[in-house]
Amino acid sequence: MEMVRAWTRQHQHVLEELQTNGIYRVREEHIRLKNQAITDYYLELYQWYSRQAAKLVPLPEGALYPIWLFLKEEEKLPAIAGTVVLTLAVPREQLVITEVERWGYRVNYMYIPLDAEDDKEHEAELEEYGIGNETALIQTSKGNFYPLLKRKIIKSWQRLFEPPRDSALVVTQGTVWELRREWLQGVEYGT
């Protein structure tokens, strides 16, 4: 079984639950505590992500939301007060790997281009229709006036789950549905 080294910054309670129960899964109340005023936005986003990513790695019973992982040590977030950074060895078949840039497009309701040329063509199409802010096609009723553009943007979000491009410039991230005690390789405590 191929194991992938990964890191995740979590609240200290995650480590406590992992050590006590041997497993940790994200619960909605954790998302609510972390995101407060923008909770509904993140819940909707994570629910979409979970539906799509579950086609690649099925959700285990009781899991609902992804746990985000850094796949390169130099890209991990540092431990800060109240948090821990967990070093993990994750079975590859449990991991969904995506590009950070593509995720940023999806988070912001934007079109995920195939490549630079496709991006240029998409921008030209928006300009042709006089659309200065493509997010309005998803977030407002403006999408009702341009249903084909809206559909094109939504359909492009599936590109998030295409294999990452092979480039030194591409930053990737991973998600898993749960953390398991046996994956834990090390802990860095925030001060």
Side-chain angles (χ1 to χ4, degrees):
M1 172 181 345
E2 180 188 358
M3 302 299 277
V4 176
R5 194 163 171 89
W7 295 263
T8 184
R9 183 171 73 183
Q10 299 291 331
H11 189 276
Q12 288 175 331
H13 75 80
V14 171
L15 177 60
E16 293 163 10
E17 187 170 329
L18 193 57
Q19 290 172 328
T20 302
N21 301 324
I23 195 165
Y24 169 76
R25 294 182 181 128
V26 177
R27 292 186 292 280
E28 186 174 318
E29 61 262 26
H30 297 155
I31 296 170
R32 290 191 179 283
L33 281 170
K34 181 179 178 184
N35 295 293
Q36 312 246 335
I38 56 173
T39 291
D40 290 341
Y41 166 76
Y42 276 102
L43 284 174
E44 179 184 322
L45 184 63
Y46 290 163
Q47 288 163 358
W48 174 87
Y49 181 91
S50 293
R51 283 190 307 274
Q52 305 309 314
K55 296 171 187 173
L56 300 172
V57 176
L59 283 135
E61 189 172 332
L64 296 173
Y65 301 105
I67 299 168
W68 299 89
L69 306 175
F70 297 93
L71 301 177
K72 293 181 183 171
E73 188 169 14
E74 63 272 14
E75 294 170 356
K76 72 180 182 181
L77 294 174
I80 57 174
T83 71
V84 292
V85 173
L86 307 177
T87 302
L88 307 164
V90 178
R92 174 62 186 93
E93 67 269 8
Q94 298 294 317
L95 190 61
V96 175
I97 298 175
T98 59
E99 286 185 24
V100 170
E101 182 180 31
R102 289 177 184 166
W103 176 240
Y105 283 112
R106 171 56 187 99
V107 166
N108 291 295
Y109 301 109
M110 296 170 67
Y111 178 74
I112 300 177
L114 287 168
D115 52 30
E117 184 61 32
D118 185 47
D119 192 28
K120 187 177 173 182
E121 290 171 8
H122 177 68
E123 290 298 321
E125 185 176 21
L126 293 174
E127 190 174 320
E128 180 182 328
Y129 287 109
I131 298 169
N133 178 3
E134 75 180 276
T135 63
L137 294 168
I138 306 299
Q139 294 183 291
T140 72
S141 61
K142 192 169 198 164
N144 296 334
F145 299 102
Y146 302 96
L148 296 179
L149 273 175
K150 180 178 180 177
R151 194 171 317 134
K152 174 185 167 188
I153 291 169
I154 292 170
K155 185 177 179 186
S156 80
W157 296 343
Q158 292 307 309
R159 293 180 184 144
L160 174 64
F161 300 101
E162 292 176 0
R165 294 167 286 184
D166 188 24
S167 166
L169 302 176
V170 172
V171 177
T172 57
Q173 61 195 356
T175 57
V176 290
W177 301 119
E178 60 191 10
L179 298 178
R180 296 191 159 270
R181 183 187 306 133
E182 60 265 24
W183 299 351
L184 190 59
Q185 302 290 300
V187 179
E188 180 184 334
Y189 293 86
T191 56

